[in-house]
């Protein structure tokens, strides 16, 4: 765990409808292993610089997620506009898994922390949210 990271609990996992797969007679469907982390921190925009300091910091916000597991899709959450669902599909013999995350625009720049690689049988997805500058 790095500074500013928090454990992304299993309470954020979304239960999906059970499906019958074409390969269910050959392989037993099972959930893939995953390890999730949430990157939290302080947003030091002009407003927070004026009203807070390091002894009295602003509230922590979710800045990004670090999720390891194969291909992902982003879907709308029917119950809320503030969240969306990220679904991971690994193929046989794994079932799909899905998580409810904050619905914000992603920062796709490699310099800003975006990473999506598949190595040694693991899909790594690291992303941060875009930060908007505070203006009066």
């Amino acid at each position: 765990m790095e500074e500013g990271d928090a454990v992304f609990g299993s309470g954020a996992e979304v239960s999906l409808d059970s499906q019958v797969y074409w390969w269910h007679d050959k392989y037993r469907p099972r959930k893939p292993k995953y390890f999730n982390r949430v990157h939290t921190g302080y947003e030091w925009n002009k407003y927070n610089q004026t009203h807070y300091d390091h002894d009295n910091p602003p509230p922590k916000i979710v800045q990004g997620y670090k999720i390891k597991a194969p291909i992902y899709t982003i879907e709308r959450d029917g119950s809320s506009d503030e969240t969306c669902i990220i679904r991971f599909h690994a193929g046989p013999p794994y079932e799909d898994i899905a998580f409810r995350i904050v619905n914000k625009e992603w920062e796709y720049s490699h310099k800003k922390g975006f990473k999506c690689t598949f190595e040694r049988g693991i899909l790594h997805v690291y992303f941060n949210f875009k930060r908007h500058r505070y203006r009066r």
Side-chain angles (χ1 to χ4, degrees), residues 75-129:
E75 302 170 355
R76 289 204 171 277
D77 188 1
S79 62
S80 173
D81 289 337
E82 294 180 2
T83 60
C84 61
I85 295 175
I86 183 168
R87 179 189 292 250
F88 292 91
H89 175 74
Y94 298 110
E95 294 179 339
D96 290 359
I97 57 173
F99 299 95
R100 184 171 284 115
I101 61 172
V102 179
N103 189 13
K104 289 186 176 178
E105 192 174 355
W106 290 14
E107 183 70 66
Y108 285 101
S109 170
H110 180 70
K111 289 182 179 179
K112 302 278 180 141
F114 182 80
K115 179 180 174 185
C116 181
T117 59
F118 185 73
E119 52 190 29
R120 294 191 212 122
I122 299 173
L123 175 71
H124 297 270
V125 180
Y126 298 98
F127 61 92
N128 292 317
F129 297 118

Side-chain angles (χ1 to χ4, degrees), residues 8-95:
F8 185 47
S10 61
E13 185 175 350
V14 177
S15 60
L16 300 172
D17 297 333
S18 61
Q19 299 176 348
V20 176
Y21 300 97
W22 60 269
W23 43 264
H24 76 279
D25 56 343
K26 189 173 182 180
Y27 303 108
R28 184 175 54 88
R30 59 185 186 265
K31 293 241 181 201
K33 293 180 182 178
Y34 59 87
F35 178 73
N36 295 332
R37 288 191 293 172
V38 177
H39 182 69
T40 60
Y42 306 112
E43 188 170 351
W44 290 106
N45 56 27
K46 283 292 187 186
Y47 178 85
N48 286 348
Q49 288 175 11
T50 305
H51 294 86
Y52 298 100
D53 58 13
H54 289 286
D55 296 331
N56 180 24
K60 280 192 171 185
I61 61 165
V62 175
Q63 292 180 334
Y65 294 88
K66 297 180 180 180
I67 302 172
K68 297 178 185 175
I71 67 177
Y72 68 91
T73 57
I74 306 295
E75 302 170 355
R76 289 204 171 277
D77 188 1
S79 62
S80 173
D81 289 337
E82 294 180 2
T83 60
C84 61
I85 295 175
I86 183 168
R87 179 189 292 250
F88 292 91
H89 175 74
Y94 298 110
E95 294 179 339

